[in-house]
Amino acid sequence: MADELAGKLLVATPGMLDPNFRRTVVLVLRHDDDGALGVVLNRPVAVPTGEALPAWHDAVTPPATLFQGGPVGLDGALGVATLVPGASSEAVDPLVGPFGLVDLDADPADALSGVTGVRVFVGYAGWSGGQLEAEVAAGDWYVLDARPGDLTTPEPGLLWRRVLRRQGGALAIVSTFPEDPSLN
């Protein structure tokens, strides 16, 4: 199963009650026998990118805020980019599909060659070997194809619904599931 989930989206099912992941959309950046690593795409925080990384404020895709990538490693930042097919930059390490990791110590002018969008994440989501597979098997996550625009959507708060809706069928119906079903 190594790398099977890399480049995929994990979309929390309505039954996911863990507050770290409720209604989240996670882009899996790495997945192997040792575990998985991803970033939550739809949790912007009210901290402008420029407060933490002044040089990157104008280089990130709007909204120019930091995003909470997950509950692990909150003392560090990850830059994730969407890349033009075949593009290369010394400041961006290609990961999977159109996604790459940005060297946030690099000059943004040098790093943006071949890049169509950048987001900066504080923290990440991490799973030990077999943990994510068990969560998927338990029905905590929908595993769906990612699109390059998912990383840099201008309306991250709507991403959970939009990703589900574009699947059609039963998942499109799930996209209408209320935040609090007891209020229906």
Side-chain angles (χ1 to χ4, degrees):
M1 181 174 233
D3 285 334
E4 181 179 314
L5 300 178
K8 297 284 190 178
L9 294 178
L10 301 175
V11 179
T13 64
M16 169 69 80
L17 300 179
D18 180 337
N20 292 305
F21 295 108
R22 182 158 171 67
R23 292 210 173 211
T24 59
V25 178
V26 177
L27 174 63
V28 179
L29 301 174
R30 182 186 61 78
H31 178 234
D32 58 29
D33 292 335
D34 294 328
L37 179 139
V39 289
V40 175
L41 300 180
N42 59 333
R43 291 264 171 96
V45 294
V47 177
T49 305
E51 282 189 24
L53 298 163
W56 284 91
H57 184 76
D58 292 332
V60 297
T61 306
T65 64
L66 297 175
F67 281 70
Q68 185 172 353
V72 182
L74 295 174
D75 57 346
L78 288 171
V80 183
T82 52
L83 309 172
V84 173
S88 66
S89 167
E90 289 187 23
V92 180
D93 290 325
L95 290 172
V96 61
F99 305 108
L101 278 182
V102 177
D103 178 358
L104 295 173
D105 291 326
D107 181 341
D110 297 333
L112 296 178
S113 175
V115 170
T116 60
V118 176
R119 282 274 157 80
V120 176
F121 298 90
V122 176
Y124 62 91
W127 295 266
S128 60
Q131 182 183 5
L132 179 56
E133 295 85 344
E135 291 179 14
V136 170
D140 293 335
W141 301 101
Y142 300 115
V143 178
L144 304 171
D145 290 332
R147 293 182 179 172
D150 294 334
L151 175 67
T152 56
T153 179
E155 298 177 304
L158 301 176
L159 189 60
W160 186 84
R161 288 185 186 276
R162 286 187 175 162
V163 169
L164 289 171
R165 186 167 291 134
R166 77 179 183 223
Q167 306 308 309
L171 290 182
I173 294 169
V174 170
S175 76
T176 65
F177 197 83
E179 287 273 344
D180 184 351
S182 68
L183 298 177
N184 267 357

